[in-house]
Amino acid sequence: MIQLDQLTKVYGHGAGATTVLDHLDFEIAAGEIFAVVGPSGAGKSTLAQTVSLLERPTSGRVVVNGADLTALGERELRAARRRIGTIFQSDGLFSRRTAAQNVALPLEFLGVTPGERRTRVAELLERVGLSAKAGHYPHQLSGGQRQRVGIARALALRPSVLLADEATSGLDPASTASIVGLLKELRDELGLSILFITHEMDTVVQLADAVARLDHGRIAESGRLLDLLRDPASVLGTLLRPPQPGVPAAPGELAIDVSYTGEVAGDWLARVSRAVGADLHVLGARIEQVHGETVGTARLAAPAELRGRLLPLLAAAGLSAHPVGSDAAPALEVVA
Amino acid sequence: MSAAVGALPAQNVPLPEIPALVVPALGETLLMVGITMAIVVLVGVPLGALVFNLAPGGLFPHRVAHTALSWVISIGRSLPFLILMAAIIPFTRLITGTNIGIPAAVVPMSIAGIAFFTRIVENSLRSVPGDRARVAIASGASPVQVIRSAQLAEAVPSIVGGLTINTIAMIEYSAIAGTIGAGGIGYVAVTYGYQRFDHAVMLTTIVILVATVALVQLTGDRLVRRLTPSARDRRAAARGPVSA
Ligand SMILES: Nc1ncnc2c1ncn2[C@@H]1O[C@H](COP(=O)(O)OP(=O)(O)OP(=O)(O)O)[C@@H](O)[C@H]1O
Ligand SMILES: [Mg+2]
């Protein structure tokens, strides 16, 4: 388990100081995958480095399994870091070591005997599906394979927390999917808490239990993935949902974004149409499975004068509804 | 080594006697350079790692210590060897008790070599991607382990390449040291070739120096390739499959 408590990182001093992380608070339970997304420069990498204390936080605490890392001296910190596995975007493999020797690195640092080291490394490479590549050097591996070696290395000391900073960025969709699958399996088997930092929204939807959006060093929005996906008013939900193709509403018609999950019976459109006494048009829709649950979003069109009756009826049917153009709702992308 | 100084024959050395003159001299040169390079590596590698890690972004950045150390090295680097050698004679005598011969040559050569090599090591470490050190620290490495496995080990091919250049420079310096009585090929070249116009001896020393330098360069290049996994591959690929 990992808790951030008012975590703050300021670079520089005086007038030139920039606050990169601004009093962050969140918690990742054992067995939970927590994704952090955000634009370039939001402070994502700084967050990863501060959590493993590669960068000392300016203030606030990082608590891993109940131990406050910020209170530790260098030597104790070294021991505590062994509870945290880190996967780097650049894979960070040592170019003059084979895959097996790279995985063995944390074990060497710890002083594990060569015999035990061999057994453990073989186990780890087997786990990430790279037993056949044990003797290969990094330049002889594909990007996805290198990332797997990086994951095996991060797991070498049996950590309880895994930090992944852009672990799948730059990989092709197939490699990304296999890394995502591997991380999920590892979470299930080992009960890892995973902090998954990325800018790729589709990866988050495949993987995360909860998501936070980091912006200018603050958490602008956060929540359970499913809640965010079915909330049409959520900026983060909109970012996470792939752009939905559709057509614009006719003049005089009201466009309404709705979203729903599996609990809503599939004939909701017919039921609501009957209840309101008018045909609702579908301008665009997307229905998919996320973590085994159905998540649907749609943009509907209805005569504008029905607005007052339609919205309560949609709500009664269990859908979240949000008229397009009202307040600060983000407009869905409309392909004309 | 320089025992023959007082008993030089007035005329050119007969051709059959040239090997007897030049071979021991080559031995002296190799000994001088060998001892010097051992000292240079022993001191230069840790010193280079220290300078690198005292710099901003290093493991233990310290502005004052870094600037001071950097200055000392720069001074060592900027003095022409002949001047450095003359300037530190009191120091040389203090350490070795003499100011001629191989021991006396090794002191200034080591100082010049260490200054040179420290910069080479520092530069090689700078070319290692910084994420390696972060990986090591995140994997629980102590500072010494970071320096050894993430910095030096990754920079080995580059350091060996620099070592080659450094060794060749030291062969050159040994010839200069030879002129002040350190013996070796340089001494033979100056006393026989330059002062007595003995062209045969001169030519022999030139051939030997060129051959030695070429050999060092060749060995160094091969070593660098063998130490770089990706270069090893390219060579194997270039050679192609031996048979179907
Ligand atoms: N060592 C540093 N000194 C000063 N400022 C820094 C330092 N490291 C990062 N920053 C600043 O902190 C901000 C956040 O950087 P960070 O690398 O965490 O962003 P990021 O969210 O990971 O971006 P990206 O998606 O591009 O990787 C940037 O504005 C950057 O300039
Ligand atoms: Mg980043």
Side-chain angles (χ1 to χ4, degrees), chain A residues 49 52 54 78 81-82 84-86 88 90-97 105-111 137 139-140 153 157, chain B residues 131-143 145-146 149-150 152-157 227-233:
Chain A
Q49 294 190 21
S52 57
L54 287 176
R78 217 175 296 149
R81 279 205 190 100
R82 301 195 164 119
I84 306 177
T86 308
F88 291 80
S90 56
D91 69 53
L93 297 188
F94 289 28
S95 61
R96 299 188 55 247
R97 285 171 166 256
L105 207 61
L107 301 164
E108 283 175 30
F109 292 149
L110 186 61
Y137 285 91
H139 74 275
Q140 299 166 316
R153 179 178 58 194
L157 300 176
Chain B
D131 64 350
R132 308 288 149 82
R134 279 199 297 281
V135 165
I137 296 170
S139 306
S142 67
Q145 287 171 325
V146 174
S149 60
L152 290 173
E154 283 291 289
V156 156
L227 291 167
T228 314
S230 53
R232 269 203 305 261
D233 262 22

Side-chain angles (χ1 to χ4, degrees), chain A residues 119-288:
Chain A
T119 321
R120 179 86 182 118
V121 167
E123 223 171 82
L124 288 160
L125 284 174
E126 168 90 55
R127 185 62 202 82
V128 298
L130 281 181
S131 295
K133 305 280 180 190
H136 282 54
Y137 285 91
H139 74 275
Q140 299 166 316
L141 299 171
S142 73
Q145 290 168 340
R146 281 202 293 272
Q147 208 53 266
R148 281 164 181 277
V149 176
I151 292 174
R153 179 178 58 194
L155 294 173
L157 300 176
R158 305 179 200 279
S160 55
V161 171
L162 210 53
L163 298 182
D165 184 11
E166 307 273 11
T168 56
S169 305
L171 297 181
D172 62 84
S175 307
T176 299
S178 82
I179 298 281
V180 163
L182 176 62
L183 288 177
K184 278 202 221 172
E185 286 169 26
L186 291 170
R187 180 269 308 267
D188 295 342
E189 278 167 37
L190 309 172
L192 294 171
S193 309
I194 302 182
L195 175 58
F196 189 86
I197 295 173
T198 187
H199 65 267
E200 295 171 339
M201 300 300 168
D202 47 340
T203 313
V204 173
V205 176
Q206 293 167 39
L207 179 74
D209 300 311
V211 194
R213 179 164 66 90
L214 196 64
D215 198 8
H216 291 95
R218 288 168 193 267
I219 293 186
E221 192 181 356
S222 71
R224 314 297 304 169
L225 177 69
L226 285 170
D227 296 341
L228 291 166
L229 283 176
R230 68 179 150 222
D231 179 0
S234 158
V235 176
L236 186 47
T238 308
L239 290 170
L240 288 167
R241 282 188 299 265
Q244 172 184 295
V247 295
E253 277 190 327
L254 168 71
I256 302 172
D257 283 334
V258 298
S259 57
Y260 62 97
T261 47
E263 307 111 47
V264 176
D267 62 347
W268 61 269
L269 185 59
R271 281 187 287 122
V272 174
S273 288
R274 263 197 310 276
V276 79
D279 285 341
L280 300 176
H281 303 162
V282 177
L283 301 173
R286 177 178 197 104
I287 304 164
E288 64 189 326

Side-chain angles (χ1 to χ4, degrees), chain A residues 40-41 43-46 89 165-166 197:
Chain A
S40 186
K44 303 186 298 294
S45 295
T46 308
Q89 171 174 13
D165 184 11
E166 307 273 11
I197 295 173

Side-chain angles (χ1 to χ4, degrees), chain B residues 17-239:
Chain B
E17 285 173 29
I18 288 182
L21 179 70
V22 168
V23 170
L26 177 63
E28 286 163 10
T29 296
L30 295 183
L31 188 65
M32 241 186 299
V33 174
I35 296 173
T36 303
M37 285 316 293
I39 296 172
V40 162
V41 171
L42 233 53
V43 180
V45 169
L47 200 58
L50 181 67
V51 176
F52 175 77
N53 283 298
L54 283 172
L59 288 179
F60 24 82
H62 192 291
R63 185 188 291 272
V64 177
H66 179 257
T67 311
L69 204 54
S70 209
W71 262 94
V72 172
I73 293 162
S74 293
I75 291 170
R77 285 283 297 123
S78 54
L79 288 183
F81 181 66
L82 196 61
I83 294 170
L84 175 81
M85 192 166 62
I88 64 160
I89 282 176
F91 177 69
T92 304
R93 194 175 309 177
L94 185 78
I95 290 186
T96 63
T98 172
N99 53 1
I100 55 159
I102 291 184
V106 163
V107 174
M109 280 171 69
S110 296
I111 289 175
I114 288 168
F116 192 2
F117 197 54
T118 301
R119 286 286 182 232
I120 285 177
V121 171
E122 187 193 1
N123 218 42
S124 300
L125 293 180
R126 228 181 270 147
S127 66
V128 174
D131 64 350
R132 308 288 149 82
R134 279 199 297 281
V135 165
I137 296 170
S139 306
S142 67
V144 173
Q145 287 171 325
V146 174
I147 292 173
R148 219 174 30 213
S149 60
Q151 297 181 346
L152 290 173
E154 283 291 289
V156 156
S158 166
I159 291 175
V160 169
L163 197 62
T164 309
I165 299 170
N166 206 329
T167 306
I168 290 168
M170 288 307 113
I171 293 174
E172 200 178 299
Y173 287 5
S174 81
I176 300 174
T179 62
I180 63 154
I185 292 285
Y187 169 76
V188 172
V190 170
T191 46
Y192 291 81
Y194 179 72
Q195 290 169 354
R196 292 161 169 259
F197 305 107
D198 188 333
H199 298 308
V201 173
M202 189 71 176
L203 209 63
T204 312
T205 58
I206 290 172
V207 169
I208 287 181
L209 279 174
V210 169
T212 310
V213 167
L215 198 72
V216 169
Q217 187 67 55
L218 215 68
T219 313
D221 289 350
R222 293 200 100 158
L223 214 54
V224 170
R225 268 199 305 274
R226 289 196 46 175
L227 291 167
T228 314
S230 53
R232 269 203 305 261
D233 262 22
R234 271 197 295 279
R235 255 178 95 71
R239 240 184 275 126

